[in-house]
């Protein structure tokens, strides 16, 4: 009985050290979390913003310049273009040329430094942030997936989506087949940041998530960079139907992703140096033609060899 009582006393005392350590870790984590939650939002809404307005998708930049906070060099300089509802705008350029900066200004992840950004003839600053961002679908180059089911990840932007809508979005993104091969299908639990899936599979789920939102404006930021050419072609074919009726911005390094765009903007150091459609730009003698020749010269050489 004595030894039993001693054991009952010693065990809690031994565990006390672990509990104190866990408490210290939790306290430090909690302080960091509170710092984030209490951080003031730099993007401020105007008084009485426009709420619950259905956006048609007309986007216009008027002499827009932008400098990132704390940076002296302009990321964008006097950018002007107009995207009609349902049109496709391609953005091409080297790393750091300002392609992603343009798309980040549309949902107000940042506010422009100068100029005007209009959506449906209304300044983006006049919209409520939730109203604006709920109608803009984003697919990033590095897709973030939550440690949850595939079904929940696809429906993240539209929690009320039915199972039929989720499956339809996955089919359009060419993700349905590989999802059905997983042990639990759409109920398969993913690891942190989509652990267990390849880069191409994660991107296809991210595309399905954007499609499931049914946005008026769709932004694809190098969304097919981690898939092979065959899968990219299949996704592009499916996306043709998805793009109908919604304004789409495509950032890509592969010209094959931009060939069908209604207008292609070629950027260099934050400026538009060339614009037009594919057929025009490949004969323009500019940066676009140079990139086209680099990407397709191997294919042209093979065709010439076959002809000989």
């Amino acid at each position: 009985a004595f030894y039993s009582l001693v054991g009952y006393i010693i065990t809690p005392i031994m565990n006390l050290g672990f509990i104190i350590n866990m408490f210290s870790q939790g306290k430090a984590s909690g302080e960091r979390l509170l710092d984030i939650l209490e951080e003031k939002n730099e993007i401020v809404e105007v008084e009485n913003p426009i709420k619950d307005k259905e956006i048609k998708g007309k986007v216009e930049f008027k002499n827009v310049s932008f400098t990132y906070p704390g940076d002296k060099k302009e990321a964008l300089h006097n950018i002007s273009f107009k995207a009609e509802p349902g049109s496709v705008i391609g953005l091409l350029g080297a790393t750091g040329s300002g392609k992603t900066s343009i798309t980040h200004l549309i949902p107000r992840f940042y506010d422009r430094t100068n100029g005007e950004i209009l959506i449906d003839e209304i300044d983006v600053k006049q919209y409520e942030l939730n109203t604006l961002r709920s109608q803009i679908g984003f697919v990033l180059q590095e897709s973030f997936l939550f440690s949850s089911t595939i079904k929940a990840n696809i429906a993240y932007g539209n929690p009320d989506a039915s199972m039929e809508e989720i499956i339809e979005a996955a089919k359009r993104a060419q993700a349905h087949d590989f999802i059905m091969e997983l042990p639990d299908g759409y109920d398969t639990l993913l690891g942190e940041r989509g652990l267990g899936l390849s880069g191409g599979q994660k991107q296809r789920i991210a595309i399905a998530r954007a499609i499931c939102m049914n946005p008026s404006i769709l932004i694809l930021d190098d969304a097919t960079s981690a898939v092979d050419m065959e899968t990219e072609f299949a996704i592009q074919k499916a996306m043709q139907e998805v793009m109908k009726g919604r304004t789409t911005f495509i950032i890509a390094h592969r010209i094959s992703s931009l060939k069908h765009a209604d207008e292609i903007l070629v950027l260099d150091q934050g400026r538009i140096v060339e614009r037009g459609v594919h057929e025009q730009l490949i004969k323009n003698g500019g940066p676009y033609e140079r990139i086209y020749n680099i990407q397709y010269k191997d294919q042209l050489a093979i065709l010439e060899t076959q002809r000989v």
Side-chain angles (χ1 to χ4, degrees):
F2 173 76
Y3 282 117
S4 296
L5 290 172
V6 169
Y8 290 143
I9 295 171
I10 290 176
T11 301
I13 293 174
M14 291 174 63
N15 288 335
L16 186 62
F18 294 105
I19 292 170
I20 292 172
N21 185 39
M22 290 175 63
F23 175 78
S24 299
Q25 291 179 359
K27 182 175 179 292
S29 300
E31 288 174 353
R32 289 197 295 270
L33 184 60
L34 287 174
D35 287 341
I36 294 171
L37 293 174
E38 293 172 358
E39 186 72 22
K40 290 184 178 179
N41 193 350
E42 296 179 359
I43 307 299
V44 181
E45 293 181 350
V46 297
E47 291 186 15
N48 302 316
I50 298 171
K51 299 180 180 180
D52 303 323
K53 181 182 186 299
E54 185 178 351
I55 291 174
K56 294 179 181 178
K58 183 179 180 180
V59 180
E60 186 174 2
F61 276 52
K62 292 184 177 180
N63 300 318
V64 173
S65 296
F66 170 64
T67 304
Y68 282 100
D71 198 351
K72 295 180 180 179
K73 184 181 178 182
E74 281 188 332
L76 297 173
H77 181 75
N78 282 351
I79 300 296
S80 296
F81 66 86
K82 186 184 293 184
E84 296 295 336
S87 62
V88 178
I89 304 296
L91 301 173
L92 183 71
T95 301
S97 60
K99 306 183 299 297
T100 300
S101 298
I102 288 176
T103 58
H104 280 181
L105 294 179
I106 298 172
R108 290 192 70 195
F109 293 157
Y110 299 95
D111 276 334
R112 80 269 183 169
T113 309
N114 294 306
E116 289 183 283
I117 301 175
L118 308 176
I119 294 182
D120 293 351
E121 307 290 350
I122 300 171
D123 194 306
V124 290
K125 290 186 177 181
Q126 300 301 318
Y127 288 98
E128 181 194 35
L129 286 176
N130 285 340
T131 298
L132 178 66
R133 293 174 180 175
S134 66
Q135 298 183 67
I136 299 176
F138 239 104
V139 183
L140 300 174
Q141 183 175 0
E142 294 184 10
S143 306
F144 186 93
L145 299 182
F146 297 94
S147 182
S148 183
T149 63
I150 290 177
K151 177 174 63 178
N153 270 283
I154 293 176
Y156 179 75
N158 182 14
D160 298 325
S162 64
M163 195 62 206
E164 289 75 17
E165 291 174 325
I166 292 171
I167 292 173
E168 179 62 24
K171 286 180 177 178
R172 287 174 179 265
Q174 302 296 307
H176 178 72
D177 291 341
F178 84 79
I179 291 174
M180 295 308 295
E181 292 174 1
L182 296 174
D184 298 317
Y186 284 86
D187 292 316
T188 300
L189 281 170
L190 299 179
E192 192 65 38
R193 293 180 177 269
L195 188 67
L197 298 178
S198 69
Q201 289 173 333
K202 287 191 284 187
Q203 279 192 327
R204 279 180 273 177
I205 289 178
I207 292 171
R209 176 195 292 165
I211 294 170
C212 195
M213 284 179 62
N214 192 28
S216 301
I217 299 172
L218 182 63
I219 298 172
L220 306 175
D221 189 350
D222 216 2
T224 56
S225 62
V227 300
D228 57 83
M229 296 294 286
E230 186 177 349
T231 304
E232 181 189 17
F233 178 76
I235 291 175
Q236 286 178 0
K237 190 175 180 181
M239 292 294 282
Q240 294 295 324
E241 183 66 27
V242 177
M243 291 176 186
K244 287 181 180 178
R246 69 191 82 217
T247 309
T248 307
F249 291 85
I250 302 176
I251 297 175
H253 291 98
R254 294 176 185 169
I255 283 182
S256 58
S257 300
L258 304 172
K259 290 171 66 175
H260 61 279
D262 297 302
E263 184 177 28
I264 299 170
L265 308 178
V266 183
L267 290 104
D268 183 36
Q269 296 184 1
R271 301 170 185 264
I272 297 176
V273 294
E274 209 174 11
R275 66 172 73 204
V277 294
H278 173 75
E279 290 75 14
Q280 171 194 347
L281 293 176
I282 59 173
K283 302 173 184 177
N284 220 22
Y288 187 90
E289 184 179 355
R290 186 170 63 252
I291 296 169
Y292 175 82
N293 290 334
I294 291 171
Q295 293 187 8
Y296 285 87
K297 65 180 180 181
D298 291 337
Q299 296 180 19
L300 293 172
I302 293 170
L303 289 172
E304 289 295 331
T305 303
Q306 290 175 346
R307 287 175 185 171
V308 173

